[in-house]
């Protein structure tokens, strides 16, 4: 009998757990460890943040799903990884601290034969003084954050309705943030809702981002053919900003946020302040606080994890200039470089280099998006690693690993630009591959036939449909596995 332990129950971890239970017979254990009791369809949190959905519409309890599928669920936080065991046992294990009310703070040693690190990110609000819902800005990273943000947004609408002008700043709160797409979505949902509520004229909406140009989204932008003409995500996005009257501050690193005012640095080294009445700024990510130890008890965290806390996998982490990296540097199997029975997927793995060209201000401040690794790619990684582990359990330890490199993987993204069955809009984008491959596709690094963009009401319908489809899939309802990642 083999035991597979999965740390994290987000898109990657939950996907891996469901497929492992499908691929393995019941003599093998599948165990999920997550500090949260609920699963959250994070892409729809932006709708919670403008009051168009509730927390109950984007979450559901994990325990009933796992009971039904025969998956062991521990509501706990992983704090220590012992991939060689310790002095009392050579069996590898992970140390977890339970977080449920019933077993809160109980320490448990959980042995494993295979481990998947799908912990996702730590929301690093502390990287910018004054950032976060416990300080001076708002967030849509979690359902609770988004619910609080919706309440504050409603207060802004009420003030605007009384004739009081307001400035709303939406974007990212640090020069190294990722998830610019989510900030973009929230900005345009806010703008859309202000128009729907008849208070747009008195509102100034500002999009503040670390992107060098609009349409970068942390993937270096896109180039595609539209109606027979070659266009770019930059031109496409800029036209939307002009049409909606949303102002943009580009190449910005937020240094600190005080009540009602933020200080930021731009790529030219200038430092400016911006007053606001409402600010939703996403934080940078780093790996969770998971330490690793060898059998003798010595700390080997730096051997398994990169300095940012994300797990090092089968990527080429050789230091080199941006122009010298290759698509082949990116991981394919997500297997740890040090331990063959450990894998890192989704946001939990360390990317070898940025996708967008890195830029630094004259002051030495890095102002450039980090690579996005969530959504569709995360689901594909989770399923791929589940297949690899299942094959090694069912067929033997020499079974080849399955591959899913982001440099050979396509992705589709539907970015909401306003909710509404009759007047909603969304930007529908596809790209192939996610990580540009300039050897296979000279010029843009992507296949023009697999890279596209379109905006309209139809995109909103598709995004809404995907919301319900992926929640159906995540609940493991009949035929769930037929819905692609």
């Amino acid at each position: 009998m083999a035991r597979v332990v999965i740390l994290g129950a987000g898109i990657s971890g939950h996907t891996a757990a469901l497929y492992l239970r499908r691929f393995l017979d019941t003599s093998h254990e599948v165990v999920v460890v997550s500090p949260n009791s609920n699963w959250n369809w994070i892409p729809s949190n932006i709708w919670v943040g403008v009051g168009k959905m509730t927390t109950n519409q984007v979450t559901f309890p994990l325990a009933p799903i796992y009971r039904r599928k025969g998956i062991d669920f521990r509501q706990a936080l992983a704090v220590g990884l012992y991939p060689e065991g310790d002095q009392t046992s050579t069996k590898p294990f992970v140390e977890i601290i339970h977080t449920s009310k019933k077993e809160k703070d109980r320490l448990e040693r959980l042995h494993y034969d295979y481990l998947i690190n799908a912990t996702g990110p730590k929301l690093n609000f502390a990287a910018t003084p004054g950032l976060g819902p416990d300080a001076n800005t708002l967030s849509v990273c979690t359902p609770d954050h988004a619910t609080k943000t919706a309440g504050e947004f409603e207060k802004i609408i009420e003030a605007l309705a009384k004739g009081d002008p307001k400035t709303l700043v939406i974007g990212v709160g640090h020069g190294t943030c990722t998830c610019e797409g989510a900030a973009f979505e929230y900005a345009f949902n806010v703008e859309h809702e202000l128009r729907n509520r008849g208070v747009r004229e008195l509102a100034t909406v500002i999009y503040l981002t670390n992107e060098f140009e609009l349409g970068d989204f942390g993937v270096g932008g896109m180039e595609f053919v539209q109606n027979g003409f070659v266009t770019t995500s930059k031109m496409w996005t800029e036209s939307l900003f002009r049409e909606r009257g949303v102002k943009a501050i580009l190449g910005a690193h937020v240094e600190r946020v005080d009540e009602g005012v933020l200080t930021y640095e731009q790529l030219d080294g200038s430092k400016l302040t911006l007053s606001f009445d409402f600010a939703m700024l996403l934080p940078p990510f780093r790996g969770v606080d998971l330490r690793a130890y060898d059998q003798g008890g010595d700390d080997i965290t730096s051997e398994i994890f990169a300095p940012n806390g994300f797990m090092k996998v089968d990527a080429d982490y050789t230091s080199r200039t941006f122009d010298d990296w290759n698509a082949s540097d990116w991981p394919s199997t997500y297997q740890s470089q040090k331990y063959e029975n450990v894998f890192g997927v989704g946001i939990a793995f360390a990317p070898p280099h940025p996708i967008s060209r890195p830029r630094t201000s004259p002051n030495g401040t890095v102002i450039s998006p980090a690579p996005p690794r969530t959504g569709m790619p995360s689901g594909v990684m989770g399923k791929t690693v589940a297949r690899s582990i299942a094959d090694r359990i069912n067929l033997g330890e020499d079974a080849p690993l399955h591959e899913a490199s982001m440099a050979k993987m396509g992705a589709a993204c539907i970015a909401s630009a306003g909710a509404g069955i009759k007047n909603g809009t969304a930007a529908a984008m596809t790209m192939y591959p996610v990580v540009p491959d300039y050897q296979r596709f000279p010029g843009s690094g992507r296949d023009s036939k697999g890279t596209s963009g379109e905006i309209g009401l139809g995109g909103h319908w598709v995004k809404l449909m995907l919301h319900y489809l992926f929640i159906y899939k995540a609940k493991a309802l009949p035929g769930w596995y037929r819905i692609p990642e």
Side-chain angles (χ1 to χ4, degrees), residues 23 54 83 111 138 189-190 210 221 227-228 230 244 330 388 404 447 469 476:
F23 297 152
T54 66
H111 290 281
L138 298 161
N189 270 269
V190 162
N210 56 353
N227 298 324
V230 176
R244 301 285 185 89
W330 283 73
S388 294
D447 184 354
L469 274 177

Side-chain angles (χ1 to χ4, degrees), residues 268-315:
D268 64 2
S270 61
K271 298 190 178 186
L272 305 165
T273 60
L274 177 63
S275 298
F276 63 84
D277 301 291
F278 174 99
M280 196 297 291
L281 299 176
L282 300 179
F285 294 164
R286 61 168 290 109
V288 300
D289 299 321
L290 179 60
R291 308 298 297 181
Y293 305 90
D294 66 13
Q295 192 173 16
D298 292 328
D299 194 311
I300 56 170
T301 304
S302 62
E303 297 178 34
I304 299 178
F305 298 95
N308 57 14
F310 296 121
M311 180 172 279
K312 291 186 283 189
V313 292
D314 63 311

